[in-house]
PDB file of all heavy atoms in Angstrom:
ATOM      1  N   HIS A   1       0.764  -1.252   0.067  1.00  0.00           N
ATOM      2  CA  HIS A   1      -0.022   0.012   0.016  1.00  0.00           C
ATOM      3  C   HIS A   1       0.784   1.291   0.004  1.00  0.00           C
ATOM      4  O   HIS A   1       0.270   2.385  -0.182  1.00  0.00           O
ATOM      5  CB  HIS A   1      -0.984   0.070   1.113  1.00  0.00           C
ATOM      6  CG  HIS A   1      -0.472   0.191   2.494  1.00  0.00           C
ATOM      7  ND1 HIS A   1      -1.174   0.672   3.583  1.00  0.00           N
ATOM      8  CD2 HIS A   1       0.780  -0.229   3.078  1.00  0.00           C
ATOM      9  CE1 HIS A   1      -0.395   0.783   4.708  1.00  0.00           C
ATOM     10  NE2 HIS A   1       0.764   0.147   4.390  1.00  0.00           N
ATOM     11  N   HIS A   2       2.134   1.230   0.130  1.00  0.00           N
ATOM     12  CA  HIS A   2       2.998   2.436   0.107  1.00  0.00           C
ATOM     13  C   HIS A   2       3.499   2.684  -1.365  1.00  0.00           C
ATOM     14  O   HIS A   2       3.997   3.766  -1.678  1.00  0.00           O
ATOM     15  CB  HIS A   2       4.148   2.444   1.016  1.00  0.00           C
ATOM     16  CG  HIS A   2       3.790   2.385   2.470  1.00  0.00           C
ATOM     17  ND1 HIS A   2       2.982   3.416   3.025  1.00  0.00           N
ATOM     18  CD2 HIS A   2       4.029   1.558   3.473  1.00  0.00           C
ATOM     19  CE1 HIS A   2       2.831   3.226   4.315  1.00  0.00           C
ATOM     20  NE2 HIS A   2       3.490   2.107   4.601  1.00  0.00           N
ATOM     21  N   ALA A   3       3.549   1.570  -2.198  1.00  0.00           N
ATOM     22  CA  ALA A   3       4.139   1.681  -3.573  1.00  0.00           C
ATOM     23  C   ALA A   3       3.323   2.672  -4.320  1.00  0.00           C
ATOM     24  O   ALA A   3       2.057   2.556  -4.506  1.00  0.00           O
ATOM     25  CB  ALA A   3       4.174   0.341  -4.113  1.00  0.00           C
ATOM     26  N   ILE A   4       3.929   3.568  -4.952  1.00  0.00           N
ATOM     27  CA  ILE A   4       3.336   4.531  -5.910  1.00  0.00           C
ATOM     28  C   ILE A   4       3.636   4.072  -7.287  1.00  0.00           C
ATOM     29  O   ILE A   4       4.258   3.146  -7.616  1.00  0.00           O
ATOM     30  CB  ILE A   4       3.722   6.010  -5.600  1.00  0.00           C
ATOM     31  CG1 ILE A   4       5.256   6.193  -5.807  1.00  0.00           C
ATOM     32  CG2 ILE A   4       3.321   6.414  -4.117  1.00  0.00           C
ATOM     33  CD1 ILE A   4       5.671   7.627  -5.578  1.00  0.00           C
ATOM     34  N   ASN A   5       3.085   4.849  -8.329  1.00  0.00           N
ATOM     35  CA  ASN A   5       3.140   4.421  -9.665  1.00  0.00           C
ATOM     36  C   ASN A   5       4.627   4.237 -10.270  1.00  0.00           C
ATOM     37  O   ASN A   5       4.795   3.446 -11.106  1.00  0.00           O
ATOM     38  CB  ASN A   5       2.403   5.276 -10.600  1.00  0.00           C
ATOM     39  CG  ASN A   5       3.005   6.693 -10.757  1.00  0.00           C
ATOM     40  OD1 ASN A   5       3.542   7.210  -9.858  1.00  0.00           O
ATOM     41  ND2 ASN A   5       2.784   7.245 -11.996  1.00  0.00           N
ATOM     42  N   ASN A   6       5.470   4.906  -9.760  1.00  0.00           N
ATOM     43  CA  ASN A   6       6.875   4.849 -10.291  1.00  0.00           C
ATOM     44  C   ASN A   6       8.017   4.582  -9.353  1.00  0.00           C
ATOM     45  O   ASN A   6       9.168   4.883  -9.730  1.00  0.00           O
ATOM     46  CB  ASN A   6       7.180   6.120 -11.107  1.00  0.00           C
ATOM     47  CG  ASN A   6       7.085   7.411 -10.265  1.00  0.00           C
ATOM     48  OD1 ASN A   6       6.862   7.262  -9.020  1.00  0.00           O
ATOM     49  ND2 ASN A   6       7.372   8.565 -10.883  1.00  0.00           N
ATOM     50  N   ARG A   7       7.641   4.087  -8.080  1.00  0.00           N
ATOM     51  CA  ARG A   7       8.732   3.778  -7.307  1.00  0.00           C
ATOM     52  C   ARG A   7       8.235   2.988  -5.958  1.00  0.00           C
ATOM     53  O   ARG A   7       7.067   3.007  -5.627  1.00  0.00           O
ATOM     54  CB  ARG A   7       9.473   5.032  -6.757  1.00  0.00           C
ATOM     55  CG  ARG A   7       8.674   5.917  -5.836  1.00  0.00           C
ATOM     56  CD  ARG A   7       9.593   7.165  -5.435  1.00  0.00           C
ATOM     57  NE  ARG A   7       8.903   8.173  -4.715  1.00  0.00           N
ATOM     58  CZ  ARG A   7       8.838   8.239  -3.370  1.00  0.00           C
ATOM     59  NH1 ARG A   7       9.502   7.383  -2.685  1.00  0.00           N
ATOM     60  NH2 ARG A   7       8.244   9.222  -2.747  1.00  0.00           N
ATOM     61  N   SER A   8       9.158   2.158  -5.403  1.00  0.00           N
ATOM     62  CA  SER A   8       8.832   1.411  -4.230  1.00  0.00           C
ATOM     63  C   SER A   8       8.874   2.330  -3.053  1.00  0.00           C
ATOM     64  O   SER A   8       9.408   3.493  -3.100  1.00  0.00           O
ATOM     65  CB  SER A   8       9.866   0.358  -4.121  1.00  0.00           C
ATOM     66  OG  SER A   8      11.184   0.867  -3.916  1.00  0.00           O
ATOM     67  N   MET A   9       8.369   1.884  -1.937  1.00  0.00           N
ATOM     68  CA  MET A   9       8.363   2.684  -0.773  1.00  0.00           C
ATOM     69  C   MET A   9       7.930   1.823   0.418  1.00  0.00           C
ATOM     70  O   MET A   9       7.001   0.932   0.264  1.00  0.00           O
ATOM     71  CB  MET A   9       7.486   3.867  -0.957  1.00  0.00           C
ATOM     72  CG  MET A   9       7.511   4.844   0.313  1.00  0.00           C
ATOM     73  SD  MET A   9       6.424   6.354  -0.031  1.00  0.00           S
ATOM     74  CE  MET A   9       6.619   7.155   1.403  1.00  0.00           C
ATOM     75  N   GLY A  10       8.434   1.980   1.629  1.00  0.00           N
ATOM     76  CA  GLY A  10       7.873   1.358   2.746  1.00  0.00           C
ATOM     77  C   GLY A  10       7.717  -0.085   2.758  1.00  0.00           C
ATOM     78  O   GLY A  10       6.612  -0.541   3.129  1.00  0.00           O
ATOM     79  N   PHE A  11       8.676  -0.862   2.248  1.00  0.00           N
ATOM     80  CA  PHE A  11       8.722  -2.313   2.250  1.00  0.00           C
ATOM     81  C   PHE A  11       7.872  -2.818   1.035  1.00  0.00           C
ATOM     82  O   PHE A  11       7.741  -4.034   0.826  1.00  0.00           O
ATOM     83  CB  PHE A  11       8.202  -3.017   3.482  1.00  0.00           C
ATOM     84  CG  PHE A  11       8.654  -2.490   4.767  1.00  0.00           C
ATOM     85  CD1 PHE A  11       7.966  -2.841   5.949  1.00  0.00           C
ATOM     86  CD2 PHE A  11       9.821  -1.776   4.837  1.00  0.00           C
ATOM     87  CE1 PHE A  11       8.399  -2.357   7.231  1.00  0.00           C
ATOM     88  CE2 PHE A  11      10.269  -1.253   6.163  1.00  0.00           C
ATOM     89  CZ  PHE A  11       9.532  -1.609   7.245  1.00  0.00           C
ATOM     90  N   CYS A  12       7.253  -1.937   0.164  1.00  0.00           N
ATOM     91  CA  CYS A  12       6.263  -2.300  -0.809  1.00  0.00           C
ATOM     92  C   CYS A  12       6.975  -2.136  -2.286  1.00  0.00           C
ATOM     93  O   CYS A  12       7.604  -1.117  -2.491  1.00  0.00           O
ATOM     94  CB  CYS A  12       5.091  -1.433  -0.797  1.00  0.00           C
ATOM     95  SG  CYS A  12       4.240  -1.580   0.872  1.00  0.00           S
ATOM     96  N   ILE A  13       6.685  -3.034  -3.084  1.00  0.00           N
ATOM     97  CA  ILE A  13       7.185  -3.001  -4.371  1.00  0.00           C
ATOM     98  C   ILE A  13       6.076  -2.628  -5.468  1.00  0.00           C
ATOM     99  O   ILE A  13       6.153  -1.671  -6.174  1.00  0.00           O
ATOM    100  CB  ILE A  13       7.963  -4.302  -4.866  1.00  0.00           C
ATOM    101  CG1 ILE A  13       9.158  -4.507  -3.980  1.00  0.00           C
ATOM    102  CG2 ILE A  13       8.276  -4.296  -6.354  1.00  0.00           C
ATOM    103  CD1 ILE A  13       9.909  -5.845  -4.182  1.00  0.00           C
ATOM    104  N   PHE A  14       5.041  -3.482  -5.544  1.00  0.00           N
ATOM    105  CA  PHE A  14       3.806  -3.196  -6.379  1.00  0.00           C
ATOM    106  C   PHE A  14       2.705  -3.012  -5.442  1.00  0.00           C
ATOM    107  O   PHE A  14       2.488  -3.724  -4.463  1.00  0.00           O
ATOM    108  CB  PHE A  14       3.602  -4.278  -7.399  1.00  0.00           C
ATOM    109  CG  PHE A  14       4.680  -4.475  -8.424  1.00  0.00           C
ATOM    110  CD1 PHE A  14       5.120  -5.812  -8.756  1.00  0.00           C
ATOM    111  CD2 PHE A  14       5.323  -3.433  -8.952  1.00  0.00           C
ATOM    112  CE1 PHE A  14       6.153  -5.981  -9.660  1.00  0.00           C
ATOM    113  CE2 PHE A  14       6.447  -3.578  -9.863  1.00  0.00           C
ATOM    114  CZ  PHE A  14       6.750  -4.862 -10.220  1.00  0.00           C
ATOM    115  N   ASN A  15       1.756  -2.144  -5.795  1.00  0.00           N
ATOM    116  CA  ASN A  15       0.550  -1.851  -4.993  1.00  0.00           C
ATOM    117  C   ASN A  15      -0.446  -2.821  -5.332  1.00  0.00           C
ATOM    118  O   ASN A  15      -1.349  -2.628  -6.150  1.00  0.00           O
ATOM    119  CB  ASN A  15       0.177  -0.395  -5.217  1.00  0.00           C
ATOM    120  CG  ASN A  15      -0.805   0.027  -4.072  1.00  0.00           C
ATOM    121  OD1 ASN A  15      -1.715  -0.729  -3.689  1.00  0.00           O
ATOM    122  ND2 ASN A  15      -0.609   1.204  -3.549  1.00  0.00           N
ATOM    123  N   ASN A  16      -0.502  -3.985  -4.537  1.00  0.00           N
ATOM    124  CA  ASN A  16      -1.309  -5.119  -4.853  1.00  0.00           C
ATOM    125  C   ASN A  16      -2.802  -4.733  -4.854  1.00  0.00           C
ATOM    126  O   ASN A  16      -3.539  -5.083  -5.708  1.00  0.00           O
ATOM    127  CB  ASN A  16      -1.100  -6.271  -3.782  1.00  0.00           C
ATOM    128  CG  ASN A  16       0.311  -6.642  -3.752  1.00  0.00           C
ATOM    129  OD1 ASN A  16       1.046  -6.734  -4.738  1.00  0.00           O
ATOM    130  ND2 ASN A  16       0.892  -6.771  -2.506  1.00  0.00           N
ATOM    131  N   ILE A  17      -3.272  -3.949  -3.875  1.00  0.00           N
ATOM    132  CA  ILE A  17      -4.702  -3.623  -3.750  1.00  0.00           C
ATOM    133  C   ILE A  17      -5.161  -2.587  -4.751  1.00  0.00           C
ATOM    134  O   ILE A  17      -6.312  -2.696  -5.175  1.00  0.00           O
ATOM    135  CB  ILE A  17      -4.970  -3.252  -2.268  1.00  0.00           C
ATOM    136  CG1 ILE A  17      -6.419  -3.630  -1.904  1.00  0.00           C
ATOM    137  CG2 ILE A  17      -4.714  -1.740  -2.003  1.00  0.00           C
ATOM    138  CD1 ILE A  17      -6.773  -3.782  -0.470  1.00  0.00           C
ATOM    139  N   ALA A  18      -4.282  -1.722  -5.120  1.00  0.00           N
ATOM    140  CA  ALA A  18      -4.702  -0.804  -6.217  1.00  0.00           C
ATOM    141  C   ALA A  18      -4.832  -1.523  -7.459  1.00  0.00           C
ATOM    142  O   ALA A  18      -5.678  -1.196  -8.304  1.00  0.00           O
ATOM    143  CB  ALA A  18      -3.652   0.270  -6.350  1.00  0.00           C
ATOM    144  N   ILE A  19      -3.910  -2.437  -7.773  1.00  0.00           N
ATOM    145  CA  ILE A  19      -4.007  -3.229  -9.009  1.00  0.00           C
ATOM    146  C   ILE A  19      -5.364  -4.044  -8.990  1.00  0.00           C
ATOM    147  O   ILE A  19      -6.100  -4.246  -9.919  1.00  0.00           O
ATOM    148  CB  ILE A  19      -2.781  -4.199  -9.072  1.00  0.00           C
ATOM    149  CG1 ILE A  19      -1.510  -3.301  -9.389  1.00  0.00           C
ATOM    150  CG2 ILE A  19      -2.996  -5.198 -10.211  1.00  0.00           C
ATOM    151  CD1 ILE A  19      -0.239  -4.163  -9.156  1.00  0.00           C
ATOM    152  N   ALA A  20      -5.631  -4.608  -7.779  1.00  0.00           N
ATOM    153  CA  ALA A  20      -6.942  -5.392  -7.669  1.00  0.00           C
ATOM    154  C   ALA A  20      -8.160  -4.637  -7.896  1.00  0.00           C
ATOM    155  O   ALA A  20      -9.093  -5.055  -8.581  1.00  0.00           O
ATOM    156  CB  ALA A  20      -6.981  -6.136  -6.237  1.00  0.00           C
ATOM    157  N   ALA A  21      -8.210  -3.289  -7.416  1.00  0.00           N
ATOM    158  CA  ALA A  21      -9.342  -2.457  -7.653  1.00  0.00           C
ATOM    159  C   ALA A  21      -9.510  -2.175  -9.153  1.00  0.00           C
ATOM    160  O   ALA A  21     -10.634  -2.317  -9.610  1.00  0.00           O
ATOM    161  CB  ALA A  21      -9.097  -1.154  -6.851  1.00  0.00           C
ATOM    162  N   ARG A  22      -8.473  -1.946  -9.869  1.00  0.00           N
ATOM    163  CA  ARG A  22      -8.578  -1.686 -11.247  1.00  0.00           C
ATOM    164  C   ARG A  22      -8.961  -2.995 -12.059  1.00  0.00           C
ATOM    165  O   ARG A  22      -9.711  -2.952 -12.970  1.00  0.00           O
ATOM    166  CB  ARG A  22      -7.264  -1.127 -11.829  1.00  0.00           C
ATOM    167  CG  ARG A  22      -6.919   0.297 -11.435  1.00  0.00           C
ATOM    168  CD  ARG A  22      -8.073   1.217 -11.917  1.00  0.00           C
ATOM    169  NE  ARG A  22      -7.648   2.599 -11.578  1.00  0.00           N
ATOM    170  CZ  ARG A  22      -8.538   3.515 -11.229  1.00  0.00           C
ATOM    171  NH1 ARG A  22      -9.845   3.216 -11.121  1.00  0.00           N
ATOM    172  NH2 ARG A  22      -8.165   4.704 -10.930  1.00  0.00           N
ATOM    173  N   HIS A  23      -8.371  -4.117 -11.485  1.00  0.00           N
ATOM    174  CA  HIS A  23      -8.804  -5.385 -12.137  1.00  0.00           C
ATOM    175  C   HIS A  23     -10.248  -5.692 -12.011  1.00  0.00           C
ATOM    176  O   HIS A  23     -10.944  -6.131 -12.967  1.00  0.00           O
ATOM    177  CB  HIS A  23      -7.938  -6.539 -11.345  1.00  0.00           C
ATOM    178  CG  HIS A  23      -8.451  -7.949 -11.829  1.00  0.00           C
ATOM    179  ND1 HIS A  23      -7.871  -8.491 -12.989  1.00  0.00           N
ATOM    180  CD2 HIS A  23      -9.040  -8.901 -11.213  1.00  0.00           C
ATOM    181  CE1 HIS A  23      -8.221  -9.694 -13.059  1.00  0.00           C
ATOM    182  NE2 HIS A  23      -9.057  -9.973 -11.988  1.00  0.00           N
ATOM    183  N   LEU A  24     -10.868  -5.425 -10.862  1.00  0.00           N
ATOM    184  CA  LEU A  24     -12.311  -5.600 -10.664  1.00  0.00           C
ATOM    185  C   LEU A  24     -13.174  -4.768 -11.623  1.00  0.00           C
ATOM    186  O   LEU A  24     -14.162  -5.144 -12.162  1.00  0.00           O
ATOM    187  CB  LEU A  24     -12.639  -5.319  -9.259  1.00  0.00           C
ATOM    188  CG  LEU A  24     -12.260  -6.400  -8.159  1.00  0.00           C
ATOM    189  CD1 LEU A  24     -12.344  -5.743  -6.739  1.00  0.00           C
ATOM    190  CD2 LEU A  24     -13.058  -7.601  -8.293  1.00  0.00           C
ATOM    191  N   GLN A  25     -12.611  -3.568 -11.910  1.00  0.00           N
ATOM    192  CA  GLN A  25     -13.316  -2.652 -12.822  1.00  0.00           C
ATOM    193  C   GLN A  25     -13.047  -3.105 -14.284  1.00  0.00           C
ATOM    194  O   GLN A  25     -14.069  -3.183 -15.056  1.00  0.00           O
ATOM    195  CB  GLN A  25     -12.794  -1.187 -12.673  1.00  0.00           C
ATOM    196  CG  GLN A  25     -13.165  -0.633 -11.357  1.00  0.00           C
ATOM    197  CD  GLN A  25     -12.575   0.731 -11.081  1.00  0.00           C
ATOM    198  OE1 GLN A  25     -11.443   0.966 -11.500  1.00  0.00           O
ATOM    199  NE2 GLN A  25     -13.307   1.670 -10.429  1.00  0.00           N
ATOM    200  N   LYS A  26     -11.854  -3.381 -14.665  1.00  0.00           N
ATOM    201  CA  LYS A  26     -11.596  -3.743 -15.985  1.00  0.00           C
ATOM    202  C   LYS A  26     -12.033  -5.108 -16.482  1.00  0.00           C
ATOM    203  O   LYS A  26     -12.586  -5.437 -17.503  1.00  0.00           O
ATOM    204  CB  LYS A  26     -10.070  -3.605 -16.235  1.00  0.00           C
ATOM    205  CG  LYS A  26      -9.609  -2.164 -16.176  1.00  0.00           C
ATOM    206  CD  LYS A  26      -8.050  -2.121 -16.370  1.00  0.00           C
ATOM    207  CE  LYS A  26      -7.521  -0.669 -16.267  1.00  0.00           C
ATOM    208  NZ  LYS A  26      -7.884   0.053 -17.463  1.00  0.00           N
ATOM    209  N   LYS A  27     -11.840  -6.119 -15.621  1.00  0.00           N
ATOM    210  CA  LYS A  27     -12.124  -7.544 -15.950  1.00  0.00           C
ATOM    211  C   LYS A  27     -13.679  -7.916 -15.780  1.00  0.00           C
ATOM    212  O   LYS A  27     -14.226  -8.569 -16.519  1.00  0.00           O
ATOM    213  CB  LYS A  27     -11.274  -8.563 -15.303  1.00  0.00           C
ATOM    214  CG  LYS A  27     -11.571 -10.039 -15.572  1.00  0.00           C
ATOM    215  CD  LYS A  27     -10.598 -10.978 -14.984  1.00  0.00           C
ATOM    216  CE  LYS A  27     -11.030 -12.392 -15.365  1.00  0.00           C
ATOM    217  NZ  LYS A  27     -10.063 -13.440 -14.930  1.00  0.00           N
ATOM    218  N   HIS A  28     -14.105  -7.452 -14.501  1.00  0.00           N
ATOM    219  CA  HIS A  28     -15.455  -7.873 -14.128  1.00  0.00           C
ATOM    220  C   HIS A  28     -16.550  -6.774 -14.305  1.00  0.00           C
ATOM    221  O   HIS A  28     -17.628  -6.971 -14.109  1.00  0.00           O
ATOM    222  CB  HIS A  28     -15.448  -8.250 -12.692  1.00  0.00           C
ATOM    223  CG  HIS A  28     -14.587  -9.407 -12.431  1.00  0.00           C
ATOM    224  ND1 HIS A  28     -14.939 -10.765 -12.807  1.00  0.00           N
ATOM    225  CD2 HIS A  28     -13.339  -9.592 -11.856  1.00  0.00           C
ATOM    226  CE1 HIS A  28     -13.892 -11.542 -12.482  1.00  0.00           C
ATOM    227  NE2 HIS A  28     -12.945 -10.925 -11.956  1.00  0.00           N
ATOM    228  N   GLY A  29     -16.134  -5.652 -14.762  1.00  0.00           N
ATOM    229  CA  GLY A  29     -17.117  -4.579 -15.141  1.00  0.00           C
ATOM    230  C   GLY A  29     -17.725  -3.873 -13.916  1.00  0.00           C
ATOM    231  O   GLY A  29     -18.776  -3.269 -14.054  1.00  0.00           O
ATOM    232  N   LEU A  30     -17.116  -4.119 -12.745  1.00  0.00           N
ATOM    233  CA  LEU A  30     -17.637  -3.380 -11.562  1.00  0.00           C
ATOM    234  C   LEU A  30     -17.236  -1.935 -11.647  1.00  0.00           C
ATOM    235  O   LEU A  30     -16.308  -1.623 -12.251  1.00  0.00           O
ATOM    236  CB  LEU A  30     -17.054  -4.015 -10.273  1.00  0.00           C
ATOM    237  CG  LEU A  30     -17.346  -5.531 -10.064  1.00  0.00           C
ATOM    238  CD1 LEU A  30     -16.788  -5.988  -8.702  1.00  0.00           C
ATOM    239  CD2 LEU A  30     -18.813  -5.783 -10.131  1.00  0.00           C
ATOM    240  N   ASN A  31     -18.010  -1.084 -11.024  1.00  0.00           N
ATOM    241  CA  ASN A  31     -17.772   0.281 -11.038  1.00  0.00           C
ATOM    242  C   ASN A  31     -17.196   0.816  -9.675  1.00  0.00           C
ATOM    243  O   ASN A  31     -16.184   1.235  -9.566  1.00  0.00           O
ATOM    244  CB  ASN A  31     -19.015   1.067 -11.401  1.00  0.00           C
ATOM    245  CG  ASN A  31     -18.826   2.535 -11.578  1.00  0.00           C
ATOM    246  OD1 ASN A  31     -17.736   3.002 -11.988  1.00  0.00           O
ATOM    247  ND2 ASN A  31     -19.816   3.339 -11.186  1.00  0.00           N
TER     248      ASN A  31
END
């Protein structure tokens, strides 16, 4: 949850939950 779009931060590399939110919108059509 600390990872931003272009750098790591606070033990975090990729922002898993942000990716998941977009995945739910893009793949499953949730809003």
Side-chain angles (χ1 to χ4, degrees):
H1 71 153
H2 293 307
I4 60 177
N5 69 324
N6 62 358
R7 67 182 173 94
S8 62
M9 186 176 175
F11 315 163
C12 304
I13 296 177
F14 299 138
N15 195 314
N16 305 317
I17 209 157
I19 294 166
R22 290 298 185 217
H23 175 80
L24 287 166
Q25 292 175 323
K26 292 176 179 290
K27 179 174 180 177
H28 296 288
L30 302 183
N31 183 34

